């Protein structure tokens, strides 16, 4: 059973969303192709980052939890991760946007970007020698500033609110990967390369990096499905 | 004590904002602030957005220094500036521009007064002859206007 752990995590992340996609009221199945395209655009830089950090030893995988096949140093399950997580996230955002009016959250766009830029910059300058922290901070600041000031997307607040709603799922998936509920972590982190602040077992950087990845997935998905607002 | 510093800085910032807005943004940096008033800028990025970073930078620098000095007063000054900035965006976006459909029917005289003053400020498209440069505190006549009605 153990070698299937990571694969099962991916499987349970998508399965409910996948089945619900065929619901007559949702029909997300018609957008599968577009989702694959948009998530690939986002996955490329993030996978390169992942390959780099794995090679550098910032983090490493316990292969006992995987089937053993590797591509570019990453277990296949890790490659799947970059499609499974975005799938659940984009699907959730798509449904919530379809059935609820969450536009009220967009009033907080300026506030979110201002607070995040200050908080992340200070953290980045203070801990610049910790590479996971530094890169997470840089990527998130650039993502937020690009979406807010240059692309001028109105939905930042709404997306941030949905990200909050996704937190229980995030804690479940990332929690198990970082060692909650199982004897040892699937993903291990070099203590010199991140802050060492963990939420349960999850490094706080994971939540921030997940946020920028989520925002970029929404951005490209909207762009490709022309669901701009 | 630290709380007092944060609180004091927030109050001080309202004054500083007035001065900066009156004499810098409507002064030698009018070139950056202009497109906020007359929407003359065609590109997507408003030059006025640069003020976002101009106001954030001292806060970032002070917070950084403060943490380095084991949470000296610099940290709390930086925190005060950050909190003022957050309050600014909150009040500006939620109550003045009502970008969300909440509080649209507020009868609160304070909010009506600052909204009125903000509108008055934006009536002037030019650099000179502006009025109502304050933000959370505006000329008393606007408060009188609404508090007396009550």
């Amino acid at each position: 059973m153990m070698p299937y752990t990571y694969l099962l995590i991916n499987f349970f992340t998508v399965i409910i969303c996948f089945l619900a996609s065929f619901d007559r009221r949702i029909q997300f199945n018609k957008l599968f192709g577009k989702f694959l395209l948009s998530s690939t655009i986002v996955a490329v830089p993030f996978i390169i980052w992942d390959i780099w950090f794995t090679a550098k030893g910032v983090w490493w995988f316990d292969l006992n939890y995987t089937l053993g096949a590797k591509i570019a140093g990453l277990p296949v399950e890790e490659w799947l991760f970059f499609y499974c997580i975005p799938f659940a996230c984009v699907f959730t955002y798509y449904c919530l946007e379809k059935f609820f009016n969450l536009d009220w959250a967009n009033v907080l766009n300026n506030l979110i970007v201002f607070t995040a830029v200050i908080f992340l910059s200070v953290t980045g300058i203070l801990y610049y020698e910790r590479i996971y922290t530094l890169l997470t901070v840089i990527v998130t600041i650039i993502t937020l500033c690009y979406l807010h000031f240059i692309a001028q997307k109105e939905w930042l607040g709404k997306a941030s609110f949905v990200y909050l709603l996704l937190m229980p799922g995030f804690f479940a998936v990332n929690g198990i990967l970082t060692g909650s509920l199982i004897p040892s972590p699937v993903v291990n982190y070099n203590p010199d390369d991140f802050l060492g602040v963990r939420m349960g077992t999850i490094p706080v950087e994971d939540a921030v990096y997940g946020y920028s990845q989520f925002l970029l997935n929404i951005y490209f998905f909207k762009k490709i499905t022309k669901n701009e607002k | 004590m630290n709380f007092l510093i944060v609180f004091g800085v927030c109050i001080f910032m309202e004054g500083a904002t007035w001065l900066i807005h009156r004499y810098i943004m409507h002064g030698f940096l009018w070139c950056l602030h202009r497109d906020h008033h007359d929407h003359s800028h065609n590109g997507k990025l408003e030059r006025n957005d640069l003020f976002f970073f101009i106001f954030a930078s001292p806060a970032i620098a002070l917070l950084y220094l403060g943490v380095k000095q084991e949470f000296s007063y610099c940290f709390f000054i930086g925190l005060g500036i950050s909190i003022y900035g957050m309050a600014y965006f909150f009040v500006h976006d939620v109550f003045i521009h009502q970008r969300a459909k909440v509080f649209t029917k507020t009868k609160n005289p304070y909010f009506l007064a600052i909204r009125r003053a903000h509108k008055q400020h934006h009536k002037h498209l030019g650099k000179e002859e502006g009025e109502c440069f304050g933000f959370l505190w505006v000329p008393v006549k606007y408060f009188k206007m609404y508090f007396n009605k009550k």
Side-chain angles (χ1 to χ4, degrees):
Chain A
M1 198 61 189
M2 199 168 160
Y4 294 98
T5 307
Y6 198 174
L7 194 63
L8 284 173
I9 293 172
N10 283 329
F11 175 76
F12 285 116
T13 305
V14 289
I15 187 61
I16 297 172
C17 299
F18 178 76
L19 293 176
S21 299
F22 295 92
D23 188 295
R24 196 171 41 81
R25 291 157 297 178
I26 301 173
Q27 300 191 3
F28 192 71
N29 55 318
K30 291 183 178 165
L31 298 170
F32 281 169
K34 287 178 173 164
F35 165 76
L36 276 179
L37 180 59
S38 69
S39 55
T40 302
I41 296 171
V42 184
V44 169
F46 282 96
I47 288 177
I48 293 173
W49 177 0
D50 198 358
I51 292 173
W52 176 38
F53 270 23
T54 307
K56 222 174 126 52
V58 175
W59 55 58
W60 61 94
F61 303 91
D62 184 342
L63 297 179
N64 292 319
Y65 291 110
T66 67
L67 296 175
K70 282 211 249 178
I71 303 171
L74 302 180
V76 202
E77 290 88 340
E78 179 78 356
W79 286 78
L80 285 175
F81 181 87
F82 287 97
Y83 288 92
C84 295
I85 301 296
F87 182 77
C89 292
V90 172
F91 175 81
T92 309
Y93 180 87
Y94 179 82
C95 291
L96 289 173
E97 191 176 51
K98 199 177 176 78
F99 297 117
F100 300 95
N101 184 1
L102 301 175
D103 289 343
W104 55 266
N106 295 337
V107 77
L108 302 173
N109 290 357
N110 281 318
L111 182 66
I112 292 169
V113 178
F114 181 76
T115 312
V117 165
I118 290 189
F119 185 75
L120 293 172
S121 305
V122 173
T123 311
I125 304 169
L126 279 171
Y127 299 99
Y128 65 90
E129 78 289 359
R130 304 189 184 207
I131 193 155
Y132 183 26
T133 313
L134 181 67
L135 207 60
T136 303
V137 157
I138 293 173
V139 167
T140 310
I141 290 178
I142 292 176
T143 304
L144 281 172
C145 288
Y146 172 76
L147 292 176
H148 187 57
F149 293 114
I150 299 171
Q152 296 189 338
K153 292 299 165 205
E154 278 293 312
W155 44 262
L156 263 185
K158 183 162 52 171
S160 305
F161 178 68
V162 173
Y163 190 64
L164 275 185
L165 296 179
L166 285 164
M167 276 295 114
F170 168 82
F171 272 94
V173 172
N174 259 40
I176 297 175
L177 286 175
T178 51
S180 306
L181 307 174
I182 53 173
S184 61
V186 179
V187 192
N188 301 270
Y189 298 80
N190 183 345
D192 295 334
D193 292 329
F194 74 114
L195 287 178
V197 179
R198 289 183 186 247
M199 306 179 296
T201 50
I202 306 167
V204 70
E205 285 89 344
D206 279 13
V208 180
Y209 128 94
Y211 179 53
S212 50
Q213 193 186 22
F214 172 72
L215 291 177
L216 289 170
N217 269 299
I218 302 294
Y219 172 65
F220 283 105
F221 182 73
K222 276 178 176 284
K223 214 174 173 58
I224 286 168
T225 55
K226 301 201 167 50
N227 173 21
E228 306 262 10
K229 222 179 2 177
Chain B
M1 181 60 197
N2 294 332
F3 174 77
L4 281 180
I5 295 179
V6 173
F7 190 70
V9 168
C10 285
I11 292 173
F12 169 80
M13 276 301 291
E14 175 64 18
T17 304
W18 188 89
L19 284 173
I20 294 166
H21 190 188
R22 174 76 182 83
Y23 293 105
I24 297 180
M25 294 166 81
H26 284 254
F28 73 95
L29 285 182
W30 174 246
C31 53
L32 298 181
H33 189 50
R34 200 178 97 189
D35 61 5
H36 180 61
H37 278 271
D38 61 10
H39 303 285
S40 59
H41 200 66
N42 292 325
K44 275 199 154 183
L45 192 66
E46 266 192 24
R47 285 189 191 172
N48 187 58
D49 288 334
L50 275 174
F51 283 108
F52 182 96
F53 299 99
I54 293 174
F55 281 107
S57 312
I60 293 169
L62 285 161
L63 285 169
Y64 168 73
L65 274 177
V67 176
K68 276 279 174 201
Q69 297 163 356
E70 291 171 5
F71 293 91
S72 68
Y73 64 93
C74 283
F75 175 82
F76 295 96
I77 296 176
L79 192 63
I81 298 177
S82 309
I83 292 175
Y84 179 83
M86 289 147 117
Y88 176 93
F89 283 121
F90 190 76
V91 173
H92 182 263
D93 296 355
V94 177
F95 294 109
I96 294 183
H97 285 289
Q98 307 185 332
R99 294 195 183 146
K101 295 285 166 268
V102 285
F103 305 112
T104 39
K105 294 200 173 90
T106 181
K107 293 255 179 342
N108 184 311
Y110 172 74
F111 289 129
L112 291 175
I114 55 172
R115 191 189 298 164
R116 184 77 186 76
H118 196 79
K119 272 202 184 124
Q120 198 62 33
H121 175 71
H122 274 282
K123 272 197 177 158
H124 303 279
L125 300 181
K127 170 182 172 182
E128 314 292 343
E129 296 165 6
E131 55 180 321
C132 310
F133 292 96
F135 175 63
L136 296 174
W137 180 259
V138 296
V140 178
K141 68 173 180 182
Y142 293 98
F143 290 127
K144 276 189 182 155
M145 204 185 281
Y146 292 96
F147 277 95
N148 290 344
K149 264 188 193 166
K150 220 180 174 187

